[in-house]
Amino acid sequence: MHFSIPETESRSGDSGGSAYVLRKEYGANVLPAFPPKKLFSLTPAEVEQRREQLEKYMQAVRQDPLLGSSETFNSFLRRAQQETQQVPTEEVSLEVLLSNGQKVLVNVLTSDQTEDVLEAVAAKLDLPDDLIGYFSLFLVREREDGAFSFVRKLQEFELPYVSVTSLRSQEYKIVLRKSYWDSAYDDDVMENRVGLNLLYAQTVSDIERGWILVTKEQHRQLKSLQEKVSKKEFLRLAQTLRHYGYLRFDACVADFPEKDCPVVVSAGNSELSLQLRLPGQQLREGSFRVTRMRCWRVTSSVSKVPLPSGGTSSPGRGRGEVRLELAFEYLMSKDRLQWVTITSPQAIMMSICLQSMVDELMVKKSGGSIRKMLRRRVGGTLRRSDSQQAVKSPPLLESPDASRESMVKLSSKLSAVSLRGIGSPSTDASASDVHGNFAFEGIGDEDL
């Protein structure tokens, strides 16, 4: 995206001063366009419009690691969030949910950023300081059936209290969940009692939701281990199951293996998994390894909406439906790259998952540790809670859902799958919108 911050924003107010510094530091063509500020008081409708613009802006800049690591930029965004919602700095109680639905109430400031809130939750649960980096806070929407739909991972520059309360709906919650993908890191977390309980609660919840794929025999074994309160053994068995530790997204549409194919996307274990059902066929799965994605990008467009007069509105008039697409270029065979496109409101979240998988792979490749991936602010201190709260043990697994089908691989060789011709996505996005993959690896036909 090549935009600049408006001059009106850079000449007045504290945020304006920061905007000027940012433009000077990064250049006008690097920063996305910042939602303009009005000199007069905003109406409730204008406040909501600016909140939506600010949320889109934050999701856009999160995809740029240079901006995401800038304290000047993060400070600028934190002030902008507070100013938009006109939230004074004061102490409040904030509810954070664990994966099993357990509520954890923490006392924070409205101006506290994500890391502050994460530390407060860790303190409440008595999670050791060196394990905080293994967990993250997520903004979710609770559906009518009680399942969570993941909106986004809360970023360092966000103010969680402002983010969740500005949505003005009880459907939106903040959830604590592990933030890494490689199950080998479970060993670090399981060494600690609280860490073990958090992993155990999340895993039981994922099995109950159907996110982790379990046979009847595996289900019986897991329940037996639960009855014996053998949490580590339970997790060891769960680690061998398909989709363990994956994040599942809402049903959406992809052009794989054919156009407008309904799919359910899951992210985990350095891959994107697409579950689908072709007409008259069994439930199937196609897996795309992140190391075979040369690059990816997120594009958006606004569809035209019908007008009462019978015409349609243009993207610049009225409020059409925003369509988000994640497109990635995949190495189907040794010398064949092909674009695959997923259309989903959660496309940005999928892109962030891909980037975090690549980051984790690169850290591991360099011999580093994700313990060091948690950036501590200079002068930051961990506020230990006066009262601690134990992680409740979830109930025994219910009987397996008889309606859940077994799933087979779409193909042992992706190159053998019959794919419709997929051209390069629309070229309205600039080269800077494409995320190059440093974990991309060349492969031979025998690897497919």
Side-chain angles (χ1 to χ4, degrees):
M1 300 177 189
H2 289 307
F3 304 103
S4 61
I5 294 180
E7 290 293 332
T8 53
E9 190 76 19
S10 65
R11 289 180 178 172
S12 64
D14 194 30
S15 294
S18 297
Y20 176 77
V21 172
L22 288 163
R23 289 175 62 215
K24 187 175 180 181
E25 182 176 348
Y26 294 105
N29 291 331
V30 175
L31 296 170
F34 189 77
K37 201 164 50 173
K38 294 188 177 181
L39 297 177
F40 305 103
S41 299
L42 299 176
T43 65
E46 289 173 330
V47 169
E48 174 60 17
Q49 183 182 33
R50 184 173 167 83
R51 182 199 66 76
E52 290 179 356
Q53 292 171 339
L54 190 59
E55 181 172 320
K56 291 173 185 174
Y57 182 83
M58 290 191 297
Q59 292 197 53
V61 299
R62 169 60 182 87
Q63 298 182 82
D64 188 324
L66 178 65
L67 295 177
S69 62
S70 166
E71 179 53 34
T72 303
F73 195 68
N74 290 346
S75 176
F76 168 67
L77 281 176
R78 291 194 294 270
R79 281 195 294 272
Q81 293 168 74
Q82 247 186 308
E83 289 173 3
T84 296
Q85 295 302 322
Q86 301 171 355
V87 177
T89 298
E90 59 185 358
E91 187 169 310
V92 293
S93 289
L94 180 64
E95 181 182 279
V96 176
L97 299 182
L98 304 185
S99 295
N100 59 0
Q102 180 182 342
K103 297 177 182 178
V104 179
L105 276 179
V106 290
N107 293 324
V108 297
L109 296 177
T110 53
S111 58
D112 277 346
Q113 65 195 74
T114 300
E115 189 173 309
D116 297 317
V117 176
L118 182 57
E119 289 177 352
V121 174
K124 187 80 173 183
L125 297 174
D126 200 25
L127 182 70
D129 190 10
D130 64 345
L131 291 183
I132 295 177
Y134 290 79
F135 294 88
S136 290
L137 298 176
F138 294 84
L139 181 66
V140 303
R141 181 175 60 82
E142 189 173 19
R143 300 201 300 253
E144 290 183 1
D145 60 1
F148 291 146
S149 172
F150 282 77
V151 178
R152 67 177 182 272
K153 177 181 175 182
L154 292 178
Q155 304 308 316
E156 293 84 354
F157 49 72
E158 284 196 68
L159 310 181
Y161 177 83
V162 175
S163 292
V164 72
T165 57
S166 66
L167 292 165
R168 294 179 174 82
S169 171
Q170 295 299 316
E171 292 180 341
Y172 292 94
K173 315 282 185 182
I174 295 176
V175 170
L176 179 75
R177 186 177 175 88
K178 75 175 185 179
S179 59
Y180 57 90
W181 303 102
D182 189 341
S183 61
Y185 292 117
D186 284 350
D187 290 345
D188 296 342
V189 181
M190 289 164 59
E191 289 175 2
N192 173 263
R193 173 184 53 83
V194 178
L196 172 64
N197 289 338
L198 286 171
L199 279 187
Y200 177 68
Q202 177 178 312
T203 303
V204 172
S205 176
D206 287 356
I207 292 172
E208 292 287 19
R209 290 192 188 111
W211 287 18
I212 298 176
L213 309 181
V214 184
T215 65
K216 288 184 179 180
E217 175 57 24
Q218 290 166 339
H219 191 282
R220 186 194 65 75
Q221 293 175 25
L222 288 166
K223 191 168 184 178
S224 174
L225 290 170
Q226 269 192 305
E227 291 169 344
K228 298 174 184 175
V229 197
S230 302
K231 296 180 182 179
K232 284 189 178 181
E233 290 75 12
F234 180 96
L235 288 171
R236 294 295 182 206
L237 175 56
Q239 286 173 338
T240 67
L241 304 179
R242 185 76 181 127
H243 289 189
Y244 169 78
Y246 282 48
L247 196 66
R248 179 180 286 197
F249 299 94
D250 297 340
C252 57
V253 173
D255 58 7
F256 170 85
E258 59 185 31
K259 189 177 180 182
D260 297 328
C261 183
V263 298
V264 174
V265 178
S266 298
N269 194 30
S270 300
E271 69 177 17
L272 281 186
S273 161
L274 273 63
Q275 297 178 34
L276 56 102
R277 186 198 304 278
L278 298 175
Q281 294 188 17
Q282 187 179 1
L283 190 65
R284 293 176 178 267
E285 178 185 22
S287 299
F288 296 90
R289 303 293 299 173
V290 70
T291 50
R292 298 181 190 177
M293 296 179 187
R294 191 181 71 85
C295 60
W296 70 86
R297 67 183 176 196
V298 175
T299 56
S300 64
S301 60
V302 181
S303 61
K304 296 182 179 181
V305 294
L307 295 175
S309 59
T312 58
S313 67
S314 65
R317 296 169 52 201
R319 295 180 63 178
E321 181 182 351
V322 177
R323 175 189 175 101
L324 286 174
E325 292 183 343
L326 169 70
F328 55 87
E329 195 174 21
Y330 196 77
L331 190 62
M332 294 290 184
S333 60
K334 187 176 181 180
D335 56 358
R336 185 166 70 94
L337 285 161
Q338 192 146 1
W339 284 95
V340 177
T341 301
I342 300 169
T343 303
S344 165
Q346 296 171 299
I348 293 177
M349 177 78 175
M350 292 178 191
S351 173
I352 290 172
C353 288
L354 288 176
Q355 185 60 58
S356 63
M357 286 181 198
V358 170
D359 291 344
E360 193 172 296
L361 284 171
M362 297 308 293
V363 167
K364 195 166 186 178
K365 190 174 182 179
S366 66
S369 168
I370 62 170
R371 285 180 187 268
K372 300 175 183 177
M373 291 175 70
L374 173 68
R375 283 199 317 274
R376 302 304 299 273
R377 297 183 314 286
V378 177
T381 56
L382 181 60
R383 295 175 295 184
R384 283 293 163 192
S385 176
D386 293 333
S387 61
Q388 262 125 27
Q389 183 174 337
V391 179
K392 295 179 182 177
S393 188
L396 294 178
L397 290 169
E398 296 180 1
S399 299
D401 187 351
S403 65
R404 285 181 190 159
E405 296 182 59
S406 59
M407 186 164 50
V408 297
K409 279 285 186 182
L410 191 60
S411 173
S412 59
K413 273 182 166 238
L414 275 177
S415 55
V417 177
S418 175
L419 291 169
R420 295 175 65 93
I422 305 169
S424 176
S426 59
T427 56
D428 57 346
S430 65
S432 65
D433 294 314
V434 176
H435 299 265
N437 182 4
F438 292 106
F440 178 72
E441 299 173 353
I443 54 175
D445 289 326
E446 68 276 4
D447 297 317
L448 293 171

